[in-house]
């Protein structure tokens, strides 16, 4: 940009070109409005309301995926100095409003004000972290990205009663070997040797924990629930809405309502707490062709 300041000719040319484009576009819009006024009125409403779904045109149903955008519904995730993350082992970020003001007030959701999920784009290296808020309203957390590759960071939070999941990519230089998604399975073993079995009935996903062949019943509360589940879609890392289900009679199950938004591969990361430690079990699910869903 800087070198163009001393040479106005290209700028003027660009401006003229953009002006012409705008005229062409306006003409096309006008023509479209004449043919189908409803379509354009809807589009105009969407722009004026900031892309919200409250204008009555969109179905009232909640969106089934989140985390695909860095900015959404008037808030944006900004990573401070992304290139420094691997050197400093520390991630700093903030949530800003459209006008640039840092969001400082966050609601407690699942026991915390900010949840950070980090995963490499091939769905390996899952981390769930709870950053600390700094004096200026930003957030920071120690973050170690052990292997090269492209990572997806999800900031999951609520402010003014509105929940958001914003996503941004962070790259770690170096030779990178993408791993295949493991085959679908209904059992997984954690690093600490807990075996977790998964069962699905309709939208309900039920996890049962075993250690040395025996069922583990003393699962401790984690983030205000029996467990925490993150479900991501293979391919675009869409972040699914999942809801912990309150426990009825069978005290040793960990249950969630999961609504798969489409066919395809998914990776489920279940976290649960036993003996004061949090354990993670990961499952591949294949939805479609008569399986799952
Ligand atoms: Cu969390």
């Amino acid at each position: 940009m800087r070198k163009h300041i001393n040479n106005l000719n290209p700028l003027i040319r660009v401006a003229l070109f953009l002006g012409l484009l705008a005229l062409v576009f306006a003409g096309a819009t006008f023509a479209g409005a004449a043919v189908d006024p409803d379509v354009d009125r809807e589009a105009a409403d969407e722009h004026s309301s900031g892309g919200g779904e409250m204008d009555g045109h969109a179905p009232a149903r909640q969106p089934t995926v989140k985390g695909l955008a860095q900015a959404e519904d008037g808030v944006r995730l900004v990573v401070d100095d992304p290139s420094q993350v691997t050197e400093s082992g520390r991630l700093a970020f903030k949530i800003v409003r459209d006008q640039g003001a840092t969001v400082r007030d966050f609601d407690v959701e699942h026991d915390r004000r900010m949840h950070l999920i980090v995963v490499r784009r091939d769905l390996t290296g899952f981390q769930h972290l709870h950053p600390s808020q700094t004096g200026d309203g930003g957030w920071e957390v120690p973050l170690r990205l052990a292997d090269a590759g492209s990572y997806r960071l999800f900031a999951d939070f609520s402010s003014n009663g509105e929940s958001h999941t914003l996503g941004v990519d962070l790259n770690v230089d170096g030779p990178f070997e993408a791993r295949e998604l493991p085959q679908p399975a209904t059992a997984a073993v954690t690093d600490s040797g807990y075996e977790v079995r998964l069962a699905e009935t309709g939208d309900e996903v039920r996890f049962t924990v075993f250690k040395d062949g025996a069922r583990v019943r003393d699962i401790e509360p984690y983030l205000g629930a029996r467990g925490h589940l993150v479900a991501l879609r293979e391919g675009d890392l869409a972040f699914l809405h999942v809801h912990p289900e309150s426990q009825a009679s069978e005290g040793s199950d960990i249950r969630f309502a999961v609504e798969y938004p489409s066919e395809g591969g998914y990776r489920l990361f279940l976290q649960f707490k036993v003996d004061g430690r949090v354990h993670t079990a990961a499952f591949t699910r294949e939805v479609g062709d008569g399986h799952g869903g």
Side-chain angles (χ1 to χ4, degrees):
M1 281 304 267
R2 191 172 299 154
K3 62 181 158 199
H4 285 180
I5 290 170
N6 296 329
N7 184 356
L8 284 177
N9 278 343
L11 274 182
I12 290 169
R13 254 181 282 151
V14 167
L16 284 172
F17 177 68
L18 287 178
L20 194 61
L21 261 188
L23 281 174
V24 170
F25 184 72
T29 304
F30 182 75
V35 173
D36 188 353
D38 284 332
V39 168
D40 271 277
R41 199 176 305 139
E42 272 193 19
D45 284 351
E46 215 168 280
H47 287 298
S48 61
S49 70
E53 289 169 46
M54 306 307 196
D55 56 12
H57 294 290
R61 203 169 178 279
Q62 267 212 319
T64 50
V65 295
K66 323 178 273 182
L68 292 176
Q70 183 174 0
E72 213 168 58
D73 299 329
V75 286
R76 185 161 61 98
L77 166 59
V78 181
V79 174
D80 303 344
D81 210 351
S83 61
Q84 283 302 302
V85 173
T86 44
E87 277 174 38
S88 63
R90 182 183 148 276
L91 170 77
F93 66 96
K94 55 175 80 77
I95 306 299
V96 298
R97 298 222 180 268
D98 279 344
Q99 299 80 12
T102 301
V103 177
R104 290 161 178 273
D105 297 324
F106 295 84
D107 313 321
V108 173
E109 254 193 342
H110 305 294
D111 272 2
R112 303 294 179 112
R113 289 191 162 78
M114 177 63 68
H115 302 265
L116 184 77
I117 302 294
V118 181
V119 68
R120 204 168 68 165
R121 276 208 164 264
D122 61 357
L123 292 166
T124 64
F126 175 88
Q127 298 186 56
H128 178 177
L129 307 167
H130 296 116
S132 313
Q133 198 165 19
T134 53
D136 62 357
W139 296 89
E140 60 177 26
V141 67
L143 175 63
R144 201 174 105 81
L145 301 173
D147 302 310
S150 186
Y151 288 80
R152 189 73 173 165
L153 272 56
F154 299 99
D156 195 32
F157 61 92
S158 168
S159 181
N160 290 332
E162 281 182 36
S163 295
H164 303 277
T165 306
L166 304 178
V168 68
D169 279 356
L170 208 64
N171 296 309
V172 179
D173 281 341
F176 161 63
E177 205 178 310
R179 270 178 246 156
E180 292 267 310
L181 198 64
Q183 286 299 305
T186 53
V189 179
T190 70
D191 290 344
S192 40
Y194 287 92
E195 190 198 350
V196 183
R197 294 180 200 163
L198 173 155
E200 281 180 335
T201 317
D203 285 348
E204 187 188 72
V205 182
R206 213 164 61 242
F207 299 97
T208 323
V209 182
F210 295 81
K211 184 74 185 271
D212 303 322
R215 199 150 157 178
V216 175
R217 291 178 187 278
D218 50 353
I219 289 163
E220 295 154 28
Y222 175 53
L223 300 173
R226 295 273 295 167
H228 189 270
L229 183 69
V230 171
L232 301 175
R233 180 164 61 190
E234 184 189 22
D236 65 358
L237 272 65
F239 194 105
L240 274 57
H241 285 272
V242 302
H243 302 283
E245 289 188 348
S246 57
Q247 298 302 303
S249 48
E250 285 179 85
S252 59
D253 278 355
I254 309 171
R255 299 178 187 202
F256 297 89
V258 179
E259 213 180 298
Y260 295 105
S262 68
E263 296 191 351
Y266 292 85
R267 192 76 168 153
L268 272 52
F269 299 93
L270 171 76
Q271 296 187 289
F272 59 95
K273 198 170 177 183
V274 180
D275 286 337
R277 280 194 54 200
V278 177
H279 309 277
T280 304
F283 300 82
T284 299
R285 303 299 298 140
E286 192 66 43
V287 175
D289 300 328
H291 305 287

